[in-house]
Amino acid sequence: VRLGRAVEERVRQIAALEHRSYADTIRLLTEEAIKGRDFPDVMFTDGPTGRRATLRRGPDVWEIVEPYLLADRDWTALRESFPQLDERTLRTALEYFERFPEEIEARIALNQASRRYDSSLMRTCLLLSPPEHGGWASMSCPCMRSGAPARRSAMRINVPSPSSKDVP
């Protein structure tokens, strides 16, 4: 493949920024260009967990597909999960998933693993929370201050301290 000088230089810059080889960068850009032609409403977004397929007018493709799969591919459940998105957008996400299932399933698996870790960390925090906090997670807890998602700060679960009659 022969590229013009400016394009070749830009590919080299992208490769350096993303810590990829020149060949891997060309492969990635080619795959994304083909996917972009096939799915014009899908773009690719960088983030802390890498590049992912994102709808131009909506969330990441995996975010739409996840509740659909969890509901055993129930269209009604999907519509109820995303009432703000039109049918075309939802169908685009599902078509992308049908074409590239491994990519989307890997993202969903990563999210599920993260949720299990978050849940485990929160339970540990609540169990170790001192009695003077009434069993509430506090900002001194690592799971509350470690850059965890903001939803945790609104997640107040009161775990009562055991009374003497509860202790064997």
Side-chain angles (χ1 to χ4, degrees):
V1 174
R2 292 179 193 235
L3 302 174
R5 185 175 302 177
V7 173
E8 181 180 345
E9 182 56 35
R10 184 64 183 127
V11 171
R12 290 191 188 288
Q13 289 172 349
I14 292 168
L17 285 170
E18 296 181 1
H19 306 287
R20 298 179 194 272
S21 71
Y22 180 77
D24 281 345
T25 303
I26 286 185
R27 181 192 51 75
L28 176 69
L29 292 173
T30 303
E31 287 175 3
E32 288 182 2
I34 291 169
K35 289 175 180 179
R37 283 186 78 132
D38 293 346
F39 295 93
D41 291 331
V42 173
M43 60 186 203
F44 298 90
T45 309
D46 285 316
T49 60
R51 287 184 71 76
R52 60 203 188 280
T54 304
L55 292 163
R56 292 189 190 280
R57 288 172 275 137
D60 293 348
V61 172
W62 72 265
E63 290 178 295
I64 292 174
V65 173
E66 183 179 39
Y68 176 72
L69 295 179
L70 291 173
D72 292 324
R73 299 176 185 251
D74 181 355
W75 175 256
T76 303
L78 178 62
R79 290 290 304 142
E80 290 171 359
S81 295
F82 296 97
Q84 75 280 15
L85 298 179
D86 61 31
E87 183 173 335
R88 180 174 177 252
T89 301
L90 297 175
R91 292 208 183 277
T92 297
L94 295 180
E95 288 168 13
Y96 187 93
F97 166 67
E98 294 297 324
R99 185 92 168 269
F100 307 104
E102 298 85 13
E103 175 185 336
I104 301 307
E105 287 169 352
R107 284 277 162 202
I108 292 170
L110 183 63
N111 185 55
Q112 293 294 316
S114 174
R115 282 186 182 164
R116 284 190 299 276
Y117 174 78
D118 288 351
S119 177
S120 173
L121 190 58
M122 181 60 83
R123 279 193 305 277
T124 301
C125 173
L126 292 171
L127 290 173
L128 297 178
S129 185
E132 62 267 18
H133 288 131
W136 289 73
S138 71
M139 289 309 291
S140 63
C141 172
C143 74
M144 298 301 278
R145 66 168 194 267
S146 66
R151 69 179 186 276
R152 284 201 192 125
S153 61
M155 193 179 193
R156 300 193 144 228
I157 303 169
N158 190 3
V159 179
S161 300
S163 66
S164 58
K165 65 182 176 188
D166 292 334
V167 179

